[in-house]
Amino acid sequence: MVVTINDELHIAEWIETTLTAIPNLGAIAPGGAWLDLIPEEIPLPAIRFHKQAGHDVSGATRQSRRIVSQYDWVVAGVVKGPGLLPLVPIADAIDTALDGMAGATATIAVYQCWRIQTFSLTETGRSGVEFRHAGGIYRTIARPL
Amino acid sequence: MSEIQVEIIQNRIPGLVVRVEADARSAVKQTADDIRDRMKDLAPKDTGEMAGSISSDSNIAGKEASVSIGVDYWIFPNYGTRHQVAQPFVEPAIVGQEAGLLQRIISAFVGFF
């Protein structure tokens, strides 16, 4: 039987669960891990992630049959201010948690997760550097269970 | 020992090379144009300045093409910020285009025969 679910949401659940399980997360990113946007009331440092791009991989002879989904995710630690040092352990912990990993939830199997490139972004304002983001862009290949 | 002689009656290889090179240039430019158009469609719009600044160009005798965004703040809507949800439009415009480019070149090669 073909299982049809929204792969993107289930993979996001796996990523969030994986990030939340980082052993020293409370020390390096007490704000936790959030899909799409870190809430305004959550203090930084924290981790945000979202789907950047991707597509379904369907059968060559039966286009209606989805085989796996392949998505790219931006996963980044966010700190307030110009300081780089607080970001380093967060970016390292993200990479340790996700690069070269595989896993599953109750609904989806993530066959592979690997970093395709590093990611960094600097937000500046009139007072200088306001926020720094750093982490990576990770690709997942997954299939519903 | 047997001996085989080969006589080339009609050498079409030079014509094939010219045809495939020409079609490859066309395929590269068409792919860049497709990426440009898709990026314009997907780009978030407020004043329309960012979407309007997206352009494509081919160079190096047509063997390379590029797609450019004429504003430097595109990274913020594309990747998100502390206060702004990401609205990706660059990478989604590129997804799937590699296969299209390869298919155009293959079609040119097959079409020659």
Side-chain angles (χ1 to χ4, degrees):
Chain A
M1 184 181 76
V2 175
V3 177
T4 55
I5 59 174
N6 185 303
D7 302 48
E8 178 181 338
L9 293 180
H10 291 264
I11 298 168
E13 180 184 1
W14 178 79
I15 292 174
E16 183 174 308
T17 301
T18 302
L19 293 173
T20 303
I22 290 173
N24 58 339
L25 184 67
I28 59 175
W34 300 86
L35 174 63
D36 290 332
L37 193 66
I38 302 166
E40 292 293 327
E41 67 272 18
I42 297 297
L44 300 180
I47 298 172
R48 67 177 180 97
F49 68 98
H50 68 266
K51 188 194 85 175
Q52 187 66 20
H55 59 93
D56 294 339
V57 178
S58 300
T61 56
R62 298 188 68 187
Q63 288 291 311
S64 62
R65 285 292 176 256
R66 186 167 66 239
I67 300 174
V68 294
S69 59
Q70 177 178 299
Y71 295 136
D72 294 344
W73 303 82
V74 169
V75 185
V78 184
V79 299
K80 184 176 173 61
L84 170 65
L85 294 183
L87 258 183
V88 175
I90 303 174
D92 287 348
I94 290 171
D95 210 55
T96 300
L98 293 178
D99 187 43
M101 293 299 171
T105 66
T107 52
I108 200 161
V110 178
Y111 292 142
Q112 284 183 296
C113 176
W114 73 99
R115 193 181 78 189
I116 57 176
Q117 64 183 81
T118 57
F119 172 82
S120 66
L121 183 146
T122 303
E123 295 181 62
T124 59
R126 291 182 181 176
S127 60
V129 175
E130 295 189 345
F131 300 100
R132 284 193 185 275
H133 309 235
I137 300 180
Y138 294 86
R139 177 162 292 173
T140 59
I141 294 184
R143 178 183 170 85
L145 291 172
Chain B
M1 189 174 74
S2 300
E3 191 177 273
I4 300 173
Q5 288 185 331
V6 177
E7 182 182 352
I8 298 175
I9 299 174
Q10 185 181 31
N11 182 4
R12 300 189 69 191
I13 292 177
L16 175 66
V17 170
V18 170
R19 166 73 179 271
V20 171
E21 276 202 357
D23 287 349
R25 288 192 199 94
S26 174
V28 168
K29 183 180 184 311
Q30 185 60 54
T31 300
D33 290 347
D34 288 350
I35 292 173
R36 174 202 64 202
D37 293 343
R38 181 149 175 77
M39 211 177 282
K40 281 177 173 284
D41 287 343
L42 294 174
K45 297 170 185 67
D46 183 8
T47 64
E49 179 190 20
M50 184 174 68
S53 76
I54 299 172
S55 62
S56 62
D57 187 27
S58 62
N59 47 30
I60 313 293
K63 293 183 179 179
E64 292 183 10
S66 62
V67 180
S68 305
I69 306 173
V71 299
D72 57 6
Y73 58 79
W74 66 269
I75 59 172
F76 300 120
N78 190 59
Y79 293 113
T81 67
R82 169 68 178 96
H83 303 297
Q84 177 185 358
V85 175
Q87 298 173 272
F89 63 98
V90 173
E91 289 86 347
I94 300 171
V95 166
Q97 293 298 332
E98 307 95 328
L101 173 61
L102 184 59
Q103 188 56 51
R104 286 191 174 105
I105 295 174
I106 291 173
S107 295
F109 185 83
V110 172
F112 180 82
F113 296 101

